[in-house]
């Protein structure tokens, strides 16, 4: 819980009362590697904070898994569209490692928003950070070559290469595993 509170304090100063509220509203959950945190067609009812572990968000298209994001320590993760709209998810979230997460339900979070504007501000900032990452990923996919995307991954997030299978990294970069191997051999 300490990591979660440290991360929240980076977004905004919080009162002792708010800290206590958050402490009482988040629940620690521990899951093994390969656990499906969210499955497509189910409604995502929780927002998670990753204390320890690694996750990926992926879609399934024609029987093929397409990874579109990774989450690691100190990230907030959920199927955002499903969580916000309470409609069925179109993505899956899988744990890549055994993980320790802190979970809060949509209903609890909404209640906190209604009664504590300070918490609404914190979550807005977390959503803004998520949106910025999403936009950066979109721009990279549109305007950078596969080699440039891989080099940026190396520079910005080298830990991904140590913790994620190459096939999932290739999918994340929008290339085949063979293309990724060729790019890696040239660098």
């Amino acid at each position: 819980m300490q990591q979660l509170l440290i991360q929240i304090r980076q977004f905004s100063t919080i009162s002792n009362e708010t800290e206590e509220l958050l402490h009482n509203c988040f629940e620690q959950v521990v899951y093994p590697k390969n656990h499906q945190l969210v499955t497509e067609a189910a409604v995502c009812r929780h927002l998670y904070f990753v204390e320890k572990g690694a996750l990926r968000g992926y879609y399934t298209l024609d029987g093929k898994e397409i990874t579109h994001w990774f989450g690691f320590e100190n990230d907030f993760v959920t199927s955002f569209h499903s969580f916000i709209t309470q409609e069925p998810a179109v993505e899956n979230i899988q744990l890549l490692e055994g993980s320790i997460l802190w979970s809060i339900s949509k209903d609890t979070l909404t209640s906190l928003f209604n009664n504590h504007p300070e918490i609404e501000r914190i979550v807005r900032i977390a959503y803004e950070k998520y949106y910025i990452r999403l936009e950066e990923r979109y721009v990279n996919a549109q305007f950078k070559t596969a080699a440039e995307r891989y080099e940026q991954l190396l520079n910005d997030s080298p830990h991904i290469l140590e913790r994620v299978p190459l096939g999932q990294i290739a999918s994340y970069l929008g290339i085949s595993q063979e293309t990724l191997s060729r790019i890696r051999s040239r660098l």
Side-chain angles (χ1 to χ4, degrees):
M1 185 65 172
Q2 233 11 63
Q3 264 184 271
L4 171 60
L5 293 174
I6 289 167
Q7 189 67 25
I8 287 171
R9 283 187 212 109
Q10 289 180 1
F11 295 156
S12 178
T13 305
I14 58 173
S15 68
N16 290 337
E17 176 193 359
T18 298
E19 193 171 304
E20 185 65 29
L21 273 170
L22 292 171
H23 191 275
N24 292 331
C25 291
F26 275 88
E27 174 188 356
Q28 186 183 59
V29 292
V30 179
Y31 295 115
K33 179 179 180 175
N34 294 323
H35 176 78
Q36 290 292 131
L37 192 62
V38 175
T39 56
E40 58 188 284
V43 174
C44 180
R45 301 192 189 281
H46 291 86
L47 174 69
Y48 300 92
F49 174 79
V50 183
E51 178 179 317
K52 181 178 186 303
L55 307 87
R56 73 175 176 128
Y58 70 94
Y59 299 99
T60 305
L61 181 64
D62 299 327
K64 184 177 177 182
E65 294 178 359
I66 301 166
T67 299
H68 68 104
W69 62 262
F70 296 108
F72 299 96
E73 286 81 8
N74 299 321
D75 283 338
F76 286 93
V77 298
T78 191
S79 176
F80 276 96
H81 185 271
S82 179
F83 181 72
I84 292 167
T85 66
Q86 290 296 278
E87 294 175 0
V90 295
E91 69 180 321
N92 302 282
I93 301 176
Q94 176 189 37
L95 276 67
L96 300 174
E97 301 171 353
S99 299
I100 300 170
L101 310 171
W102 289 91
S103 170
I104 188 167
S105 73
K106 171 74 170 168
D107 292 340
T108 300
L109 194 57
T110 300
S111 176
L112 289 172
F113 288 168
N114 292 337
N115 298 306
H116 304 279
E118 188 176 29
I119 293 173
E120 187 173 32
R121 182 177 190 282
I122 292 164
V123 174
R124 178 186 51 80
I125 293 167
Y127 282 4
E128 287 171 353
K129 289 182 180 301
Y130 172 80
Y131 175 79
I132 289 167
R133 281 178 44 197
L134 186 65
E135 186 173 297
E136 287 171 349
R137 179 148 164 68
Y138 175 78
V139 169
N140 287 342
Q142 295 297 312
F143 301 110
K144 291 190 176 184
T145 67
E148 289 170 332
R149 291 193 304 272
Y150 179 72
E151 285 184 60
Q152 182 169 4
L153 183 70
L154 276 177
N155 293 331
D156 296 348
S157 307
H159 63 280
I160 290 177
L161 299 170
E162 299 164 3
R163 298 174 72 180
V164 176
L166 287 179
Q168 292 172 4
I169 292 171
S171 174
Y172 173 74
L173 294 172
I175 58 177
S176 69
Q177 196 163 343
E178 295 77 17
T179 300
L180 178 58
S181 293
R182 284 193 295 277
I183 291 169
R184 288 172 50 114
S185 69
R186 285 191 297 247
L187 294 178

